[in-house]
Amino acid sequence: MTQGWSVREDHDRADAERRRELVTAARAAFEELGYGATTIAEITRRAGVSRATFYVYFASKEQVFAVLAEQVRDRFVRAQALTGVDRDDVEDVLRRTIATTLEATVENLALMTVLNHQAVGDEEIRDLWLEIQREAVHRTAAYVSQQARAGHVEPVADPEALGMMGAGMNDRYAPLVVSGAITTEAAIEEMHRIWMACLGR
């Protein structure tokens, strides 16, 4: 019986690894070629597997793209989930959140560009992409509202608007970081300075 479980676990690990290989290959193809030009044949070629193997794990190109979009969503959730931080230390919380969300944006910039394009004509992807963006803004706004109620900050605008401003700065600074036009550290400092001014600090 123990041997049976061992064989099953080996099979499950191999399954998980093959799925990861397909997702990695799909991401590379989408980022390089865009959504429209990426085919299942291209994904399987990059992964070194057959078309039949692809269909063991995914029903369509759309499904594997949705998995990638969900990975982006999860990455941004993790970026805002700080641990070991005094939540009332507004300057530290915002500096670290700016750093982690900028890092997440830089990591996913190419895929986010494809997501933006695909969201124009694909309702499911548009809904998922809007969910990703709304969640990030809402979490920031909730924190600003909490700190305002505690008397730690004096926001110059509605917290949701400030959350959208923060997301917009990430979107603007990430390409500059990727291109080398600005360092990550300088981008974080500039965004932090703007945030502090907007919070009356």
Side-chain angles (χ1 to χ4, degrees):
M1 187 168 179
T2 304
Q3 185 178 6
W5 275 111
S6 177
V7 170
R8 176 58 189 270
E9 287 173 0
D10 287 346
H11 177 73
D12 288 348
R13 277 195 292 271
D15 253 7
E17 182 59 31
R18 181 55 50 83
R19 187 178 187 276
R20 276 193 295 273
E21 289 169 356
L22 280 163
V23 170
T24 300
R27 177 171 181 145
F30 286 128
E31 289 180 346
E32 184 180 330
L33 306 173
Y35 185 86
T38 295
T39 62
I40 291 173
E42 178 62 20
I43 294 170
T44 56
R45 183 188 70 77
R46 289 174 183 243
V49 301
S50 69
R51 191 178 184 92
T53 298
F54 177 91
Y55 285 115
V56 169
Y57 301 95
F58 302 103
S60 62
K61 176 177 87 168
E62 291 79 8
Q63 187 181 37
V64 72
F65 189 71
V67 167
L68 289 167
E70 289 164 2
Q71 287 182 351
V72 173
R73 176 196 62 201
D74 294 345
R75 178 68 179 87
F76 277 97
V77 169
R78 290 195 307 275
Q80 289 184 301
L82 299 181
T83 57
V85 182
D86 176 1
R87 286 185 59 82
D88 291 332
D89 186 345
V90 175
E91 293 204 22
D92 186 42
V93 167
L94 283 174
R95 186 183 301 280
R96 290 177 63 174
T97 303
I98 289 165
T100 55
T101 53
L102 179 61
E103 178 185 319
T105 306
V106 167
E107 284 176 11
N108 291 284
L109 187 60
L111 187 59
M112 287 168 63
T113 301
V114 180
L115 275 164
N116 276 319
H117 291 162
Q118 188 58 21
V120 173
D122 185 323
E123 187 175 347
E124 284 189 33
I125 293 299
R126 180 167 61 251
D127 289 346
L128 181 58
W129 189 221
L130 287 173
E131 176 198 333
I132 293 168
Q133 295 169 313
R134 277 194 299 261
E135 178 63 17
V137 168
H138 178 70
R139 287 167 69 95
T140 301
Y143 177 74
V144 171
S145 295
Q146 175 204 0
Q147 293 301 313
R149 287 192 300 272
H152 298 154
V153 298
E154 296 180 6
V156 299
D158 177 79
E160 288 284 334
L162 291 177
M164 287 189 282
M165 175 202 73
M169 285 197 293
N170 260 336
D171 291 345
R172 286 295 190 176
Y173 275 104
L176 298 177
V177 170
V178 170
S179 70
I182 189 171
T183 66
T184 300
E185 293 74 18
I188 291 168
E189 285 305 312
E190 288 185 13
M191 284 191 278
H192 188 262
R193 194 159 45 246
I194 292 166
W195 262 111
M196 289 300 98
C198 289
L199 295 178
R201 297 289 292 258

